[in-house]
Amino acid sequence: MDLQDGIVAQFQYPHGMLGRMAGWVMAHRPSNRDRNRWTVDLLNVQPHDHILEWGCGPGLGLQACLAQAPHGVVLGLDHSQTMLKQAEARNRAAVVDGRLQLRLGSLDELSCSPEQFDKIFSVNVIQFLEDKLAVFKTFHTILKPNGIVATTYMPRGKNPSRAKALALAEEVTRQMERAGFVRIRMEELPLQPIPAVCILGEQP
C-alpha cells in the first residue's frame, strides 16, 4: 500500500493518530462541510423527526440535523470509535439531553431492530461498499412509510471525475430500485474539482 492509499484508507476507517487527523480534515474541509449541510437540507427534516446517519464521522451531519429537528432524536452510527469521540465532542449538549445517540457498530445490527426512522442518510460512505443492495434493503426495512433515504458522495483518490460520479449514481439508483424505493432522484452540488452527487429515494 502506497502513501496515498494509506491516507484514503484512513477516511474509510479512521483510527489512531492518523485517524484523528483524518477526522479533523473531514470536519474542517469546506467542501465536506458544504456536502453535509446540503445533504441534510435535501432531507426536508421536520422538527420531530427520528433520523439515522450511517457513517457519521466527526458529526457535521448530526449537528445539522439537530439544528433542524429540535424535538427529534438523531442516531449516529459509525464503525470507528475515533469518529464517535469527535462526534460526541462536537455535539456534547445534545448527547447529554438525550437528543443525540451515538452507536459503534454496523448496519447489520439495525436490520432486526424495532427502531424506525423518518430519514436516513450517509455522506461519502457508499463508495466503499461492495454489496450496495444489502445496504438499501436494510434501509428499506428500518425506514418509516414515506420516509426518505439520501446517499451523498464525491469521488476521491486517483483521477476523480464527474463521469465516475454519474456512473456510481446509476449503480446506486439501480440498487435503490431493487430494494423497493420509489421516486428516486439525483441532485448535484457544484464543487471543485467535481460535483458532489446525492441520490434520494422514498419509502412507499
Side-chain angles (χ1 to χ4, degrees):
M1 179 184 293
D2 62 23
L3 179 60
Q4 184 173 359
D5 289 338
I7 293 172
V8 171
Q10 282 295 332
F11 287 91
Q12 181 176 356
Y13 175 53
H15 57 281
M17 183 181 70
L18 288 178
R20 291 192 294 274
M21 292 173 61
W24 188 92
V25 171
M26 290 183 217
H28 292 86
R29 178 184 284 160
S31 62
N32 198 49
R33 299 177 73 89
D34 290 344
R35 280 194 299 273
N36 278 274
R37 284 194 298 266
W38 174 67
T39 302
V40 173
D41 286 344
L42 289 172
L43 287 170
N44 188 29
V45 172
Q46 300 301 302
H48 291 86
D49 274 351
H50 191 189
I51 304 167
L52 166 66
E53 182 179 9
W54 170 51
C56 63
L60 296 179
L62 301 175
Q63 190 175 41
C65 287
L66 290 162
Q68 296 188 28
H71 308 295
V73 176
V74 181
L75 170 62
L77 178 68
D78 206 290
H79 63 179
S80 166
Q81 187 66 58
T82 300
M83 290 297 91
L84 290 177
K85 287 180 179 179
Q86 292 190 10
E88 180 178 13
R90 179 161 283 103
N91 300 284
R92 193 176 306 279
V95 172
V96 171
D97 67 20
R99 294 176 53 227
L100 175 61
Q101 302 169 5
L102 296 170
R103 192 173 302 174
L104 180 67
S106 68
L107 273 180
D108 293 340
E109 297 166 33
L110 290 178
S111 60
C112 298
S113 169
E115 208 163 2
Q116 294 281 296
F117 300 92
D118 299 287
K119 310 285 166 56
I120 299 174
F121 74 104
S122 67
V123 178
N124 277 356
V125 177
I126 197 66
Q127 63 265 47
F128 296 118
L129 276 292
E130 291 292 332
D131 192 351
K132 296 174 178 57
L133 177 59
V135 169
F136 291 113
K137 282 183 174 179
T138 297
F139 288 164
H140 195 270
T141 299
I142 62 177
L143 197 62
K144 295 178 183 179
N146 302 312
I148 298 173
V149 61
T151 299
T152 294
Y153 57 88
M154 182 176 175
R156 293 287 187 182
K158 299 173 182 176
N159 305 313
S161 68
R162 182 172 182 268
K164 290 181 179 178
L166 295 180
L168 182 54
E170 291 181 3
E171 181 184 359
V172 170
T173 297
R174 185 166 59 251
Q175 302 306 343
M176 278 191 180
E177 289 175 342
R178 291 180 64 192
F181 288 100
V182 298
R183 291 181 286 281
I184 299 169
R185 74 182 199 272
M186 183 187 81
E187 301 283 349
E188 286 188 66
L189 176 66
L191 293 173
Q192 294 298 327
I194 57 174
V197 173
C198 181
I199 309 299
L200 298 104
E202 297 181 27
Q203 173 76 288

